[in-house]
Amino acid sequence: MNDQIPVKNIPTVKIHKPEPSKQSDAYTPRSHIYVRAVQGPLELFRRFFGLIFVGIFAILPWLTYDGHQAILFDLYEQRFNLFSLTLWPQDLTLLALILIVSAYGLFFVTTFAGRVWCGFMCPQTTWTFIYIWFEEKIEGSRNKRIKLDERPMDFDKFWRKSLKHFAWIMVALLTSLTFVGYFTPISELFVDFFTWQASGMAIGTVIFFTICTYGNAGWMREIMCTHMCPYARFQSVMFDKDTLIVAYDAKRGEGRGPRSRKMDAETRKEKGLGDCVDCNLCVQVCPTGIDIRNGLQYECISCGKCVDACNETMDKMGYEKDLISFTSEHKLKGEKTHILRPKLVGYAVVMLIMTVLLGVQLANRPALDMDVIRDRNTLYRETSDGLIENVYTLKIMNRTQTEKTYRIEVDGLKDLKITGKTKITLAGGEILALPISVAADAWDLKAINDLVIRVVDVNDSDSVAEEDTKFLFH
């Protein structure tokens, strides 16, 4: 028996690396994408929707409710004001439920209609298109912007670039001031910032978010969507073959190629031409610089600009619209799109359950809260008139936004005596630490006695906070 293992000589495989000079850098992260303007119903809707979104963002912090800023996330005071609702750190479950409902709402919409959040509501997309609008108004159309960047610096190029960046910085500054205004009183912020009376923290925060907005919307743009945003990476988990996506109908469009408008269908068929005239407009209008004809790509944000651009070309050629459209993989294959499906229904059911739980939590949320803290230095003490006394600190919180008057009650002991305030008034959102002492005759006491301390709204007997505690003796 031969113990030798046969050896086979394998020839070395030569690896052919691509030559950098022959590689296009059209879609590399640092390439500048010159987005072409487009008109159409989807673009009009996106602009209208974006205008509403920006308007809501800009107006909300200026609204007042009952004498205070309607929406204020006051981190210093550790409370969030949402019109008549005030949330405290103790309301963490409410915040968790709000985030869960928002997450499942996003999952539901994505499963049904793809990345419409990215294309129509995402702040990164909205502000990027605002910045592109300033580019078009100051530097001109796509071709003019390309030629302008290729030119050496002259006075015309200098003033156009300077004006564009000045406009970008102003938009970024107003955006930053508005955003910070959600966390500090906005009317004071605007006055104090421009008069340099604001705190160093406020000024530093505004400058930081100004730089972020200017960099993200002005310079990084599609890099945020394609390389930094995690949503672009995990969206495929929620997609299925019935999800609405922006897609190119390859069966109808291929083969591509230019042709005369007068060319009839028979001639096109003989030459093997589909409906795609290879005008490349779908690539030129894409804010992430992709070619949708290459299939679904994670860079696509479903803004629909390529749909409008293609439909405009189809109109000019006299062809049927929607060569590129919001459709599903099943529909592209000639199959039926199923709207109701287990995944979509599952997201809807979970979102509904979480919404109901949130509503129940809000409805049962107490307007008054209290904690009782016993004095740990002394278990008990004897007063000058022979009574046994225990000392407590009541931490009372008025969770409403209006002034309230409360009454302090204590039950559980015979002929007890309370020393301290038994009637207090708290402003909206105020927290008060109130020391009281409770005394009783030693003959009526055991070593450990049950005690109930209660705080009652004098104008609303249903608003009550009570806590069981112990009265100690011996």
Side-chain angles (χ1 to χ4, degrees):
M1 182 176 179
N2 190 359
D3 295 332
Q4 210 174 19
I5 300 174
V7 177
K8 183 178 181 180
N9 291 324
I10 300 176
T12 304
V13 178
K14 186 178 180 181
I15 300 175
H16 298 277
K17 294 183 179 180
E19 298 179 24
S21 60
K22 296 182 180 180
Q23 297 298 310
S24 171
D25 63 345
Y27 308 124
T28 56
R30 296 191 179 276
S31 297
H32 185 76
I33 296 175
Y34 297 89
V35 181
R36 184 185 184 120
V38 64
Q39 300 293 330
L42 282 174
E43 177 68 7
L44 183 64
F45 176 75
R46 188 196 57 73
R47 290 186 180 185
F48 176 74
F49 202 79
L51 183 63
I52 292 177
F53 171 74
V54 173
I56 292 174
F57 168 77
I59 292 172
L60 276 182
W62 292 98
L63 298 179
T64 58
Y65 179 85
D66 201 16
H68 59 80
Q69 189 169 318
I71 297 180
L72 179 62
F73 307 120
D74 195 334
L75 300 179
Y76 181 77
E77 296 291 339
Q78 297 184 3
R79 65 179 180 183
F80 293 174
N81 290 337
L82 301 170
F83 292 90
S84 62
L85 177 66
T86 301
L87 299 178
W88 300 86
Q90 294 89 336
D91 297 312
L92 185 61
T93 54
L94 284 176
L95 179 61
L97 284 173
I98 291 172
L99 294 176
I100 291 172
V101 170
S102 301
Y104 274 96
L106 183 62
F107 298 161
F108 175 83
V109 171
T110 303
T111 302
F112 174 69
R115 293 181 66 184
V116 289
W117 159 263
C118 294
F120 291 85
M121 282 195 67
C122 176
Q124 173 67 21
T125 303
T126 303
W127 262 257
T128 294
F129 284 144
I130 290 174
Y131 274 41
I132 291 174
W133 182 85
F134 278 102
E135 274 188 341
E136 292 172 349
K137 296 302 178 184
I138 297 171
E139 296 183 353
S141 63
R142 178 180 182 272
N143 291 334
K144 289 182 179 179
R145 298 201 302 275
I146 294 175
K147 291 179 180 178
L148 183 68
D149 284 349
E150 291 174 348
R151 276 166 39 190
M153 183 63 69
D154 55 21
F155 178 75
D156 180 66
K157 182 175 181 177
F158 175 79
W159 79 260
R160 289 182 186 277
K161 292 290 184 181
S162 300
L163 180 60
K164 178 187 75 172
H165 287 286
F166 176 77
W168 283 3
I169 292 172
M170 288 299 100
V171 171
L173 179 60
L174 289 175
T175 301
S176 179
L177 284 167
T178 303
F179 179 74
V180 176
Y182 280 89
F183 301 90
T184 188
I186 192 168
S187 56
E188 299 174 12
L189 175 65
F190 266 76
V191 174
D192 292 346
F193 180 82
F194 288 108
T195 57
W196 290 98
Q197 299 298 316
S199 65
M201 176 65 75
I203 293 174
T205 305
V206 170
I207 293 174
F208 173 76
F209 283 109
T210 299
I211 294 172
C212 289
T213 305
Y214 172 76
N216 290 347
W219 293 95
M220 300 182 74
R221 295 188 179 176
E222 76 285 348
I223 298 176
M224 292 293 296
C225 302
T226 58
H227 292 80
M228 300 180 71
C229 178
Y231 187 48
R233 302 294 179 175
F234 71 78
Q235 62 163 332
S236 58
V237 177
M238 292 167 276
F239 276 30
D240 56 38
K241 293 186 178 181
D242 293 301
T243 299
L244 295 181
I245 56 175
V246 176
Y248 165 72
D249 189 348
K251 291 181 179 179
R252 177 185 150 195
E254 300 297 324
R256 310 173 197 171
R259 79 290 306 271
S260 168
R261 294 186 189 181
K262 299 178 181 179
M263 184 181 292
D264 56 31
E266 290 185 7
T267 305
R268 284 192 287 124
K269 188 175 181 180
E270 290 174 1
K271 294 187 175 184
L273 293 174
D275 284 357
C276 179
V277 300
D278 205 17
C279 62
N280 216 41
L281 288 179
C282 56
V283 179
Q284 295 178 17
V285 301
C286 180
T288 58
I290 64 170
D291 189 341
I292 196 64
R293 295 171 296 180
N294 293 335
L296 181 63
Q297 299 147 72
Y298 77 90
E299 296 94 340
C300 177
I301 60 173
S302 296
C303 63
K305 292 173 79 72
C306 57
V307 176
D308 284 332
C310 187
N311 283 341
E312 184 179 350
T313 300
M314 293 298 102
D315 266 345
K316 291 178 180 178
M317 298 300 296
Y319 299 164
E320 183 184 352
K321 289 185 177 182
D322 293 334
L323 177 60
I324 301 175
S325 64
F326 277 93
T327 185
S328 68
E329 289 187 55
H330 275 158
K331 189 172 181 180
L332 285 175
K333 294 177 181 178
E335 302 172 6
K336 182 180 178 182
T337 299
H338 301 89
I339 301 299
L340 293 177
R341 48 199 190 273
K343 183 191 292 187
L344 190 66
V345 173
Y347 285 141
V349 170
V350 175
M351 183 174 64
L352 180 61
I353 292 173
M354 292 297 108
T355 304
V356 171
L357 286 176
L358 176 61
V360 171
Q361 289 272 7
L362 287 172
N364 296 327
R365 180 175 176 271
L368 171 65
D369 197 12
M370 176 190 64
D371 287 328
V372 177
I373 305 171
R374 290 193 77 262
D375 185 0
R376 296 181 180 180
N377 294 322
T378 306
L379 293 181
Y380 71 93
R381 64 191 178 193
E382 187 174 349
T383 65
S384 58
D385 52 358
L387 298 177
I388 303 302
E389 184 181 62
N390 281 201
V391 179
Y392 306 88
T393 299
L394 311 184
K395 194 172 183 180
I396 304 170
M397 177 188 295
N398 177 10
R399 290 190 170 207
T400 70
Q401 297 176 358
T402 56
E403 187 178 84
K404 297 288 184 179
T405 301
Y406 302 108
R407 181 177 64 253
I408 313 299
E409 299 177 354
V410 181
D411 290 331
L413 298 177
K414 182 180 179 181
D415 298 328
L416 60 83
K417 180 182 177 182
I418 303 174
T419 302
K421 292 183 179 180
T422 57
K423 193 173 184 179
I424 56 172
T425 300
L426 270 65
E430 184 180 354
I431 301 175
L432 175 67
L434 177 68
I436 66 167
S437 62
V438 179
D441 195 315
W443 292 100
D444 299 322
L445 297 175
K446 298 181 292 184
I448 300 177
N449 305 269
D450 292 327
L451 198 66
V452 178
I453 300 179
R454 187 181 301 110
V455 179
V456 183
D457 188 337
V458 296
N459 298 314
D460 183 7
S461 58
D462 293 330
S463 182
V464 180
E466 68 177 29
E467 186 169 331
D468 297 333
T469 187
K470 300 296 181 181
F471 188 97
L472 303 180
F473 178 50
H474 285 305

